[in-house]
Amino acid sequence: MPVAHTGAAVRGVPSAYGPIHCHRHRKQLPPGALDFSAAGHLYATHGLHAFAARCPPPLARWAIETFTDASDIVLDVMCGSGTTLVEAALTGRHGWGVDIDPLARMVALAKATPIDPAAVDELAGRIERDAPATDDDGWRPALDRLDYWFRPDVAGDLARLRHLIRTRTAEGPLRRLAWTVFSSLIVGRTSVANARDLVHSRHHFREWTEDPHTVERFVRALRRAGRLMRDFAALPPSGHPAATLVGHDARALTVEDQTVDLVFFSPPYVSALDYPRAHAFAVAWLADVLGTTPAAYRAHARDYVGSDRAPLAAATPDQPLPPPSGHTPVDTVVAALGSVPERAWVVARYFTDMTAVFAEAARVTRPGGHVVAVVCPSNIRRVPVPTHEIFHTLAPAGSGGRLVLEDHHARTIHDGRRVMPYLEAKFGERMREEYVLVFCRRPDPPGRG
Ligand SMILES: C[S@@+](CC[C@H](N)C(=O)[O-])C[C@H]1O[C@@H](n2cnc3c(N)ncnc32)[C@H](O)[C@@H]1O
């Protein structure tokens, strides 16, 4: 429904804009328009660090270019590894990011902050030169079974690299980039840890039978980071606007009302990925850098949207199943999981959290702006969870009517990065389709701020 609103009073809306019509941007897209093949996704710094369930950069770019103008503010409330922030910089927008995961925040900022490639090369050269004369200082992270997960020579090399990064860089973007490259040695399909895959949550022991040459890998990866920075800097516009981190929790944003032009984000799937488990080793090695401890990081894991940790925390003998939320599509799925209470609680909690996320996204978006969510449905114990359809009504309800569904696009997932091989066995079906939900932000109803 079009909503009459005089644009002149609203930031970023020229008076010529006239009344805000929520369907102004409605676009008929040809089938497959948002499919983007996997090719060509790793330009600029997109390939700097592995991250589970990354958003394809062209999808972020499509949303940014469709719903904002140069110099606008684009906020990703679950920015993960920073795809949206990089694309905001590459399109001349101000990218703001929020993520609950401290490793993700560091990676996102490192990827979206251009650095002089010569300085990166120079640092790589210095570390290569100084490493042989640098002793292992004996520092080790507080990690259970450290010797099982890291060969002693690998742990020694990681300790030496930590020392070299601290002593050869000053606080700032170059040091952050170096820590991000350090983390990428651990969080990766070919991690230097004794683990098969530390990108996704279910890693398995895979022993290095010979030294993986951690320092040499680091130097190579840092040189590659320098090349990625060169690509980034060479892409227009020149002088990319700086990206900024503006908070930690999408359910409680520390951003003023009506300040952003677009919220673009892809929330986690229900119960599918355990980021704290995937990142645990890297965070242990970087805990002091990230301002946490391994124990605090673990304790925080249940605050992640979609977490299946402590599922029964809110259950009581009198309330073994989640109480009705009042939102029928959610309650229907929760009821279908009644025979597996811990899954029912996980799903109920996910949608409660996402209600808060949409309410906050609506609050911080200016009237006439947009909230775009990239969403994947899933199956839990073979019960379909049509997350995208549930969001059609949950976002408007959760935002007190501020969000109106403007468009809904299906896209086929072509890039293997978004398909979790382990999930196929667990949930019985590959997630091949995801949905791009476009909500328009209406003005607040009179009397509500
Ligand atoms: C699907 S990933 C986003 C990936 C991102 N679009 C990218 O391209 O890298 C979902 C992100 O949500 C974050 N997250 C989970 N719970 C959150 C919360 N309560 N507040 C903010 N971020 C949260 C996770 O840490 C994860 O980085």
Side-chain angles (χ1 to χ4, degrees):
M1 188 178 74
V3 179
H5 189 277
T6 309
V10 180
R11 192 202 153 279
V13 180
S15 51
Y17 189 103
I20 290 172
H21 294 288
C22 260
H23 294 283
R24 185 176 85 107
H25 286 274
R26 238 198 131 129
K27 293 251 177 323
Q28 278 304 326
L29 294 175
L34 299 182
D35 286 358
F36 313 115
S37 76
H41 283 192
L42 297 182
Y43 54 87
T45 46
H46 286 303
L48 186 62
H49 193 287
F51 200 84
R54 257 194 310 217
C55 177
L59 185 57
R61 178 167 294 221
W62 168 81
I64 291 169
E65 289 184 335
T66 304
F67 301 110
T68 65
D69 296 312
S71 301
D72 276 357
I73 297 171
V74 177
L75 167 65
D76 189 334
V77 294
M78 294 174 158
C79 69
S81 63
T83 308
T84 309
L85 302 189
V86 173
E87 287 302 315
L90 290 174
T91 50
R93 276 68 166 172
H94 297 279
W96 289 4
V98 168
D99 202 285
I100 200 160
D101 189 272
L103 185 71
R105 290 197 298 274
M106 180 182 80
V107 171
L109 201 55
K111 282 170 61 178
T113 307
I115 299 186
D116 174 9
V120 183
D121 279 350
E122 210 262 318
L123 177 63
R126 216 172 334 145
I127 290 182
E128 185 174 43
R129 199 183 54 237
D130 296 351
T134 302
D135 288 335
D136 169 6
D137 60 7
W139 183 89
R140 294 294 182 271
L143 190 62
D144 282 350
R145 300 162 80 208
L146 178 74
D147 293 344
Y148 176 74
W149 290 112
F150 291 88
R151 286 167 55 108
D153 49 1
V154 170
D157 281 349
L158 289 172
R160 286 197 299 143
L161 283 171
R162 272 179 54 96
H163 178 76
L164 284 161
I165 293 170
R166 277 193 191 295
T167 51
R168 294 341 187 241
T169 61
E171 197 66 60
L174 181 60
R175 180 180 280 183
R176 190 188 304 122
L177 180 72
W179 287 132
T180 300
V181 170
F182 179 94
S183 165
S184 76
L185 299 180
I186 300 171
V187 180
R189 286 182 196 276
T190 50
S191 170
V192 295
N194 284 325
R196 180 155 65 85
D197 180 0
L198 282 178
V199 185
H200 303 111
S201 48
R202 294 171 156 238
H203 46 266
H204 299 280
F205 184 75
R206 191 261 334 251
E207 188 173 11
W208 279 100
T209 51
E210 37 188 67
D211 179 2
H213 301 295
T214 307
V215 172
E216 289 81 344
R217 272 171 191 259
F218 176 83
V219 169
R220 270 201 309 277
L222 191 58
R223 290 215 162 94
R224 176 171 169 270
R227 289 195 297 277
L228 299 181
M229 282 297 169
R230 193 164 286 122
D231 280 4
F232 188 10
L235 288 166
S238 60
H240 305 294
T244 318
L245 294 176
V246 294
H248 296 189
D249 194 337
R251 299 166 301 175
L253 296 173
T254 48
V255 172
E256 282 182 25
D257 294 1
Q258 306 188 10
T259 38
V260 314
D261 301 283
L262 169 68
V263 172
F264 176 82
F265 72 116
S266 58
Y269 313 131
V270 196
S271 157
L273 276 168
D274 190 331
Y275 286 96
R277 196 180 304 153
H279 295 172
F281 292 173
V283 170
W285 278 97
L286 291 171
D288 49 350
V289 173
L290 298 171
T292 186
T293 63
Y297 184 66
R298 257 194 319 278
H300 198 38
R302 60 176 72 173
D303 290 334
Y304 285 55
V305 173
S307 167
D308 60 4
R309 301 205 184 201
L312 297 175
T316 63
D318 295 339
Q319 188 71 71
L321 287 170
S325 69
H327 195 79
T328 308
V330 173
D331 294 339
T332 305
V333 176
V334 172
L337 286 163
S339 60
V340 264
E342 72 279 9
R343 295 295 106 190
W345 281 100
V346 166
V347 171
R349 193 165 73 181
Y350 177 80
F351 287 110
T352 302
D353 282 346
M354 287 305 301
T355 305
V357 172
F358 280 115
E360 282 292 84
R363 178 180 68 73
V364 303
T365 304
R366 66 161 174 82
H370 288 81
V371 173
V372 177
V374 182
V375 185
C376 200
S378 50
N379 288 281
I380 297 200
R381 300 289 164 95
R382 299 189 187 271
V383 171
V385 185
T387 313
H388 57 306
E389 287 169 11
I390 292 175
F391 284 174
H392 280 185
T393 49
L394 195 79
S399 63
R402 291 179 176 94
L403 296 182
V404 182
L405 184 69
E406 182 171 284
D407 251 322
H408 165 115
H409 308 287
R411 66 180 294 272
T412 305
I413 304 171
H414 283 304
D415 56 344
R417 288 191 306 281
R418 284 184 71 86
V419 179
M420 266 55 72
Y422 308 117
L423 300 182
E424 194 171 14
K426 187 172 173 191
F427 300 118
E429 190 179 302
R430 282 180 92 131
M431 293 178 286
R432 304 298 307 165
E433 286 244 292
E434 67 182 1
Y435 298 86
V436 181
L437 310 185
V438 178
F439 297 96
C440 176
R441 166 55 155 106
R442 285 167 48 164
D444 288 345
R448 295 183 56 176

Coordinates of all heavy atoms in Angstrom, one line a residue, residues 46 51-57 60 76-84 98-102 104-105 108 111 247-253 264-269 273 275-276 279 297 301 303-307 353 357 374 418, ligand 1:
H46 N 37.8 -10.2 -1.7 CA 36.8 -11.2 -1.3 C 37.4 -12.5 -0.9 O 36.8 -13.3 -0.1 CB 35.7 -11.3 -2.4 CG 34.8 -10.2 -2.5 ND1 34.0 -9.8 -1.4 CD2 34.5 -9.3 -3.5 CE1 33.3 -8.7 -1.8 NE2 33.6 -8.4 -3.0
F51 N 35.2 -18.3 4.9 CA 34.1 -18.0 5.8 C 32.9 -18.8 5.4 O 32.6 -18.9 4.2 CB 33.8 -16.5 5.8 CG 33.0 -16.1 7.0 CD1 33.7 -15.7 8.2 CD2 31.6 -16.0 7.0 CE1 33.0 -15.4 9.3 CE2 30.9 -15.6 8.2 CZ 31.6 -15.3 9.3
A52 N 32.2 -19.4 6.3 CA 31.1 -20.3 5.9 C 29.9 -19.4 5.6 O 29.6 -18.4 6.2 CB 30.8 -21.2 7.1
A53 N 29.2 -19.9 4.5 CA 27.9 -19.2 4.1 C 28.1 -17.8 3.7 O 27.3 -16.9 4.0 CB 26.8 -19.4 5.1
R54 N 29.2 -17.5 3.0 CA 29.4 -16.2 2.5 C 28.3 -15.8 1.4 O 27.9 -16.7 0.7 CB 30.8 -16.1 1.7 CG 31.8 -15.5 2.6 CD 33.0 -15.2 1.8 NE 33.5 -16.3 1.0 CZ 34.8 -16.5 0.7 NH1 35.7 -15.8 1.3 NH2 35.1 -17.5 0.0
C55 N 28.1 -14.5 1.3 CA 27.1 -14.1 0.3 C 27.9 -13.8 -1.0 O 29.0 -13.3 -0.9 CB 26.5 -12.8 0.8 SG 25.4 -12.0 -0.3
P56 N 27.3 -14.2 -2.1 CA 28.0 -13.9 -3.4 C 28.2 -12.3 -3.5 O 27.2 -11.6 -3.4 CB 27.2 -14.5 -4.5 CG 26.2 -15.3 -3.8 CD 26.0 -14.9 -2.4
P57 N 29.4 -11.8 -3.8 CA 29.5 -10.4 -3.9 C 28.6 -9.7 -4.9 O 28.1 -8.7 -4.7 CB 31.0 -10.2 -4.3 CG 31.7 -11.5 -3.7 CD 30.7 -12.6 -3.8
A60 N 25.3 -8.8 -3.3 CA 25.4 -7.6 -2.4 C 25.4 -6.4 -3.3 O 24.7 -5.4 -3.1 CB 26.6 -7.7 -1.5
D76 N 25.2 -3.8 7.1 CA 25.0 -5.2 7.2 C 25.0 -5.6 8.7 O 26.1 -5.5 9.3 CB 26.1 -6.0 6.4 CG 25.8 -7.5 6.3 OD1 25.1 -8.0 7.2 OD2 26.3 -8.1 5.3
V77 N 23.9 -6.1 9.2 CA 23.7 -6.3 10.6 C 24.3 -7.7 11.0 O 24.4 -8.0 12.2 CB 22.3 -6.2 11.1 CG1 21.8 -4.8 10.9 CG2 21.4 -7.2 10.3
M78 N 24.7 -8.5 10.0 CA 25.4 -9.8 10.3 C 26.4 -9.9 9.2 O 26.4 -10.7 8.3 CB 24.4 -10.9 10.2 CG 23.3 -10.9 11.3 SD 22.1 -12.1 11.0 CE 21.4 -12.2 12.7
C79 N 27.4 -9.0 9.4 CA 28.3 -8.8 8.2 C 29.3 -9.9 7.9 O 29.9 -9.9 6.9 CB 29.1 -7.5 8.4 SG 30.3 -7.5 9.7
G80 N 29.4 -10.9 8.9 CA 30.3 -12.0 8.6 C 31.7 -11.6 8.2 O 32.3 -10.7 8.8
S81 N 32.1 -12.1 7.0 CA 33.5 -11.8 6.6 C 33.5 -10.5 5.8 O 34.6 -10.2 5.2 CB 34.0 -13.0 5.7 OG 33.2 -13.1 4.6
G82 N 32.4 -9.7 5.7 CA 32.5 -8.4 5.1 C 32.2 -8.2 3.7 O 32.5 -7.2 3.1
T83 N 31.5 -9.2 3.1 CA 31.2 -9.1 1.6 C 30.5 -7.7 1.3 O 30.8 -7.0 0.4 CB 30.3 -10.2 1.2 OG1 30.9 -11.5 1.6 CG2 30.1 -10.2 -0.3
T84 N 29.5 -7.4 2.2 CA 28.7 -6.2 1.9 C 29.6 -5.0 2.1 O 29.5 -4.0 1.3 CB 27.5 -6.1 2.9 OG1 26.8 -7.3 2.9 CG2 26.6 -5.0 2.6
V98 N 28.0 -4.9 11.5 CA 27.8 -5.5 12.8 C 27.9 -7.0 12.8 O 27.5 -7.6 11.8 CB 26.3 -5.1 13.3 CG1 25.9 -5.9 14.5 CG2 26.1 -3.6 13.4
D99 N 28.6 -7.6 13.7 CA 28.6 -9.0 13.8 C 28.9 -9.4 15.2 O 29.7 -8.8 15.9 CB 29.6 -9.7 12.8 CG 29.2 -11.1 12.5 OD1 29.4 -12.0 13.4 OD2 28.6 -11.4 11.4
I100 N 28.3 -10.5 15.7 CA 28.5 -10.9 17.0 C 29.9 -11.6 17.2 O 30.4 -11.7 18.3 CB 27.4 -11.8 17.5 CG1 27.3 -11.9 19.0 CG2 27.5 -13.2 16.9 CD1 25.9 -12.4 19.5
D101 N 30.4 -12.1 16.1 CA 31.6 -12.9 16.2 C 32.9 -12.0 16.1 O 33.1 -11.3 15.0 CB 31.6 -13.9 15.0 CG 32.8 -14.9 15.2 OD1 33.9 -14.6 14.7 OD2 32.5 -15.9 15.8
P102 N 33.8 -12.0 17.1 CA 34.9 -11.1 17.0 C 35.9 -11.4 15.9 O 36.5 -10.4 15.3 CB 35.6 -11.3 18.4 CG 35.1 -12.6 18.9 CD 33.7 -12.8 18.3
A104 N 35.0 -12.6 12.9 CA 34.3 -12.0 11.7 C 34.5 -10.5 11.6 O 34.8 -10.0 10.6 CB 32.8 -12.4 11.8
R105 N 34.3 -9.9 12.8 CA 34.5 -8.4 12.8 C 35.9 -8.0 12.3 O 36.1 -7.1 11.5 CB 34.2 -7.8 14.1 CG 32.7 -7.9 14.6 CD 32.4 -6.9 15.7 NE 33.2 -7.2 16.9 CZ 32.8 -8.1 17.9 NH1 31.7 -8.7 17.7 NH2 33.5 -8.3 18.9
A108 N 36.2 -8.8 8.5 CA 35.4 -7.9 7.7 C 36.1 -6.5 7.6 O 36.2 -5.9 6.5 CB 34.0 -7.7 8.3
K111 N 39.2 -6.8 5.3 CA 38.9 -6.9 3.9 C 38.4 -5.6 3.3 O 38.6 -5.3 2.1 CB 37.9 -8.0 3.7 CG 38.5 -9.4 3.8 CD 37.4 -10.5 3.8 CE 36.5 -10.5 2.5 NZ 35.5 -11.6 2.6
G247 N 28.8 -2.1 15.8 CA 28.2 -2.8 16.9 C 28.4 -4.3 16.8 O 29.1 -4.8 15.9
H248 N 27.8 -5.1 17.8 CA 28.0 -6.5 17.9 C 26.8 -7.3 17.7 O 26.8 -8.4 17.2 CB 28.6 -6.8 19.3 CG 29.9 -6.2 19.6 ND1 30.6 -6.6 20.7 CD2 30.6 -5.3 18.9 CE1 31.7 -5.9 20.7 NE2 31.8 -5.1 19.6
D249 N 25.6 -6.8 18.1 CA 24.5 -7.7 18.2 C 23.3 -7.1 17.3 O 22.8 -6.0 17.6 CB 24.0 -7.9 19.6 CG 23.1 -9.1 19.8 OD1 22.4 -9.4 18.8 OD2 23.0 -9.6 20.9
A250 N 22.9 -7.9 16.3 CA 21.9 -7.4 15.4 C 20.5 -7.3 16.1 O 19.6 -6.6 15.7 CB 21.7 -8.4 14.3
R251 N 20.4 -7.9 17.3 CA 19.2 -7.9 18.0 C 19.1 -6.6 18.9 O 18.0 -6.3 19.4 CB 19.0 -9.1 18.9 CG 19.0 -10.4 18.2 CD 19.2 -11.6 19.1 NE 20.4 -11.5 19.9 CZ 20.8 -12.3 20.8 NH1 20.1 -13.3 21.2 NH2 22.0 -12.1 21.4
A252 N 20.2 -5.9 19.0 CA 20.2 -4.7 19.9 C 21.2 -3.8 19.3 O 22.3 -3.7 19.7 CB 20.5 -5.0 21.3
L253 N 20.9 -3.1 18.2 CA 21.8 -2.3 17.5 C 22.1 -1.0 18.2 O 21.2 -0.4 18.8 CB 21.3 -1.9 16.1 CG 21.1 -3.1 15.1 CD1 20.4 -2.7 13.8 CD2 22.4 -3.8 14.8
F264 N 21.3 -4.6 4.4 CA 21.5 -5.8 3.5 C 22.2 -6.9 4.4 O 23.2 -6.6 4.9 CB 22.3 -5.5 2.3 CG 22.5 -6.8 1.4 CD1 21.5 -7.2 0.6 CD2 23.7 -7.5 1.5 CE1 21.7 -8.4 -0.2 CE2 23.9 -8.6 0.8 CZ 22.9 -9.1 -0.1
F265 N 21.6 -8.1 4.5 CA 22.2 -9.1 5.3 C 21.8 -10.5 4.9 O 20.7 -10.6 4.3 CB 22.0 -8.8 6.8 CG 20.6 -9.1 7.3 CD1 20.3 -10.0 8.2 CD2 19.5 -8.3 6.8 CE1 19.0 -10.3 8.7 CE2 18.2 -8.5 7.3 CZ 18.0 -9.5 8.2
S266 N 22.6 -11.5 5.3 CA 22.1 -12.8 5.2 C 22.2 -13.5 6.5 O 23.4 -13.7 7.0 CB 22.9 -13.6 4.1 OG 24.2 -13.6 4.3
P267 N 21.1 -13.8 7.2 CA 21.1 -14.4 8.5 C 21.6 -15.8 8.4 O 21.5 -16.5 7.4 CB 19.7 -14.3 9.0 CG 18.9 -14.2 7.7 CD 19.7 -13.5 6.7
P268 N 22.1 -16.4 9.5 CA 22.4 -17.8 9.6 C 21.2 -18.6 9.3 O 20.1 -18.2 9.6 CB 23.0 -18.0 11.0 CG 23.1 -16.7 11.6 CD 22.2 -15.7 10.9
Y269 N 21.4 -19.9 8.9 CA 20.3 -20.8 8.8 C 20.0 -21.3 10.2 O 20.8 -21.2 11.2 CB 20.8 -22.1 8.1 CG 21.5 -21.8 6.8 CD1 22.7 -22.5 6.5 CD2 21.0 -20.9 5.8 CE1 23.3 -22.3 5.3 CE2 21.6 -20.7 4.6 CZ 22.8 -21.4 4.4 OH 23.5 -21.1 3.2
L273 N 24.9 -24.0 11.2 CA 26.3 -23.7 11.3 C 26.6 -23.2 12.7 O 25.9 -22.4 13.3 CB 26.6 -22.5 10.4 CG 26.9 -22.9 8.9 CD1 26.9 -21.7 8.1 CD2 28.2 -23.7 8.8
Y275 N 29.3 -21.2 14.1 CA 30.5 -20.4 13.9 C 31.5 -20.5 15.0 O 32.7 -20.6 14.8 CB 30.1 -18.9 13.6 CG 29.5 -18.7 12.2 CD1 28.1 -18.7 12.1 CD2 30.3 -18.6 11.1 CE1 27.6 -18.6 10.8 CE2 29.7 -18.4 9.8 CZ 28.4 -18.4 9.7 OH 27.8 -18.3 8.5
P276 N 31.1 -20.4 16.3 CA 32.1 -20.5 17.4 C 32.9 -21.8 17.3 O 34.1 -21.8 17.7 CB 31.3 -20.4 18.6 CG 30.0 -19.6 18.2 CD 29.7 -20.1 16.8
H279 N 35.4 -21.4 14.4 CA 36.4 -20.4 14.7 C 37.2 -20.6 15.9 O 38.2 -19.9 16.2 CB 35.8 -19.0 14.8 CG 35.1 -18.6 13.5 ND1 34.4 -17.4 13.4 CD2 35.1 -19.1 12.2 CE1 33.9 -17.3 12.2 NE2 34.4 -18.3 11.4
Y297 N 34.6 -16.7 24.9 CA 34.1 -16.9 23.5 C 33.1 -18.1 23.4 O 32.0 -18.0 22.9 CB 35.3 -17.2 22.6 CG 34.9 -17.3 21.1 CD1 34.4 -16.2 20.4 CD2 35.1 -18.5 20.4 CE1 34.1 -16.3 19.0 CE2 34.8 -18.6 19.1 CZ 34.3 -17.5 18.4 OH 34.0 -17.7 17.0
A301 N 28.6 -18.3 22.9 CA 28.2 -19.0 21.6 C 26.7 -19.1 21.5 O 26.1 -19.1 20.4 CB 28.8 -20.4 21.5
D303 N 24.6 -16.9 22.1 CA 23.9 -15.7 21.7 C 23.9 -15.5 20.2 O 23.3 -14.6 19.6 CB 24.7 -14.4 22.2 CG 24.5 -14.3 23.7 OD1 23.5 -14.8 24.2 OD2 25.5 -13.7 24.4
Y304 N 24.5 -16.5 19.5 CA 24.5 -16.4 18.0 C 23.1 -16.8 17.5 O 22.5 -17.8 18.0 CB 25.5 -17.4 17.4 CG 26.9 -16.9 17.5 CD1 27.5 -16.6 18.8 CD2 27.8 -16.8 16.4 CE1 28.8 -16.1 18.9 CE2 29.1 -16.4 16.5 CZ 29.6 -16.1 17.7 OH 30.9 -15.6 17.9
V305 N 22.5 -16.0 16.6 CA 21.2 -16.4 16.1 C 21.4 -17.7 15.3 O 22.3 -17.9 14.5 CB 20.7 -15.3 15.1 CG1 19.5 -15.7 14.4 CG2 20.5 -14.0 15.9
G306 N 20.5 -18.6 15.6 CA 20.6 -19.9 14.9 C 21.3 -21.0 15.7 O 21.4 -22.1 15.3
S307 N 21.9 -20.6 16.8 CA 22.7 -21.5 17.6 C 21.8 -22.6 18.2 O 20.7 -22.4 18.5 CB 23.3 -20.7 18.9 OG 23.8 -21.7 19.8
D353 N 14.6 -14.5 17.9 CA 15.8 -13.6 17.7 C 15.6 -12.8 16.4 O 15.9 -11.6 16.3 CB 17.0 -14.4 17.6 CG 17.6 -14.9 18.9 OD1 17.1 -14.3 19.9 OD2 18.4 -15.8 19.0
V357 N 15.7 -8.9 15.3 CA 16.6 -8.4 14.2 C 15.8 -7.5 13.2 O 16.3 -6.4 12.9 CB 17.3 -9.5 13.5 CG1 18.1 -9.0 12.3 CG2 18.3 -10.3 14.4
V374 N 18.8 -12.1 2.6 CA 19.0 -13.3 1.8 C 18.9 -14.5 2.7 O 19.6 -14.7 3.6 CB 20.5 -13.2 1.2 CG1 20.7 -14.4 0.2 CG2 20.7 -11.9 0.4
R418 N 28.2 -22.1 -0.6 CA 27.0 -22.0 0.3 C 26.3 -23.3 0.5 O 25.3 -23.4 1.1 CB 26.0 -20.9 -0.3 CG 26.5 -19.5 0.0 CD 25.5 -18.5 -0.5 NE 24.3 -18.4 0.3 CZ 24.2 -17.7 1.4 NH1 25.2 -17.0 1.9 NH2 23.1 -17.6 2.1
Ligands
LIG1 C1 25.5 -16.2 6.9 S1 26.7 -15.4 7.9 C2 26.9 -13.9 7.0 C3 27.9 -14.0 5.9 C4 28.2 -12.7 5.3 N1 27.1 -12.2 4.5 C5 29.4 -12.8 4.4 O1 29.3 -12.7 3.2 O2 30.5 -13.2 4.9 C6 25.8 -15.0 9.3 C7 26.6 -14.1 10.3 O3 25.6 -13.8 11.4 C8 26.4 -13.6 12.5 N2 25.5 -13.6 13.7 C9 24.9 -14.6 14.4 N3 24.2 -14.1 15.4 C10 24.3 -12.7 15.4 C11 23.9 -11.7 16.2 N4 23.1 -11.9 17.3 N5 24.2 -10.4 15.9 C12 25.0 -10.1 14.8 N6 25.5 -11.1 14.0 C13 25.2 -12.4 14.3 C14 27.4 -14.8 12.5 O4 28.5 -14.5 13.3 C15 27.7 -14.8 11.0 O5 28.9 -14.1 10.8

